[in-house]
Amino acid sequence: MFEKELTALAEMSNKYGSNPEFVLAGGGNTSYKSEDYLFIKGSGTALSTITPDGFVKLSRKELDAMWDKDYPADEDAREAAVLADMMAARVPGEERRPSVETLLHELFPQKYILHVHPTSVNGITCCVDGGKVIEELFDTATTVWVPLCKPGYILACNCRDAFKLKMKMNGGIFPNTLYLENHGIFVAADTADEAGALLVAAYNKIMDVAKKANGVPDTAELPCDNARVDAVKAKLTTLYTEGTDAAVVEFTSNKAAIEYDPTTKALSPDHIVYCKACQLALDSEDTLETAFAEFEAKNGYQARIVFVKGLGMFACGKDEKAAGTALEVFMDAVQGTTFTKKVLGGVKPMTNEMIDIIMN
């Protein structure tokens, strides 16, 4: 049962999950709902490779019942109770853990939901006037903006309230697109193709704005002093000790990275998860060893991203995959920041409170 629908869900997930213009490092999630069940990507599963049998199956009746419960006021107790109820909503025999955004997926009446964090979209969701920009660019009757808030149950509640308010304003039409500040986009439709089309249309419109304002970041590799690069890499492979073996260090030197302000606070949860909340910035590699140790003592973790002024950006990881992912994800932050500064009036990073929540 649901073979056709889940095949369509997996194909949609693979298509956008394997395209770096829409998904980096496995971020985002997708779902399909029938009258009785919600099928959603599980935590730790990659959109690019998920198969039709890889989605977590939950009872919609039990998920909907969660809205009528009185959860504890204490944040930790509340989230624990919500998680317990969400896990209990899984059908018998289901052992995988559903996405933390399961309740948010259930809010949409549309059958297919696609949630991703593209650089282009986050250029808007991470800008100073993101909500205003969304209203100017997109159909206000079908588009909702939700300001930054804590993940999990609080986010789902805030989105539910925003949907209700929007429907009062637009004659009862349920929105099909949701933008979350400092997070990304949800699109919803009754077919996988329609959901994908909504995402592509939003992406194209945003890119048109960027191109017209010359806001597309220049990421072409620049000539650099290879001897200096190799020397820094060699030092970092011994200083960075996350893994049991010598670390792997990746490097890039492009105009966007060199002009980036490394003191900019984290823009989104992905950037924190894969690159940590802060980056190490050096005027010269001569102070690398001392600065690296001081950074760890101050922040409680080793720097995954290291900028050397005028040279470029280094990304550290316990292996090749981790280092490559860190480089890719932080270049996403660099590009998004460039876009917001050139086109949208300035960057709006996450608050210290939200950064602490994601970090811990």
Side-chain angles (χ1 to χ4, degrees), residues 213-231:
N214 195 29
V216 178
D218 185 352
T219 58
E221 288 294 316
L222 297 172
C224 61
D225 186 332
N226 291 325
R228 286 180 65 194
V229 172
D230 290 342

Side-chain angles (χ1 to χ4, degrees), residues 115-197:
H115 166 49
V116 289
H117 326 129
T119 303
S120 58
V121 169
N122 277 350
I124 291 181
T125 65
C126 300
C127 79
V128 174
D129 294 317
K132 181 180 178 182
V133 174
I134 292 297
E135 288 185 358
E136 292 174 349
L137 285 180
F138 300 104
D139 183 355
T140 56
T142 57
T143 304
V144 170
W145 168 268
V146 172
L148 180 65
C149 66
K150 295 178 180 179
Y153 185 68
I154 294 300
L155 173 60
C157 288
N158 286 359
C159 291
R160 188 188 191 201
D161 292 341
F163 287 152
K164 288 180 178 179
L165 178 61
K166 177 64 68 171
M167 292 173 71
K168 284 184 179 179
M169 299 168 60
N170 68 9
I173 301 171
F174 202 97
N176 60 21
T177 307
L178 167 67
Y179 288 89
L180 300 179
E181 186 174 37
N182 293 104
H183 192 86
I185 181 175
F186 281 76
V187 291
D190 282 331
T191 71
D193 287 344
E194 289 171 335

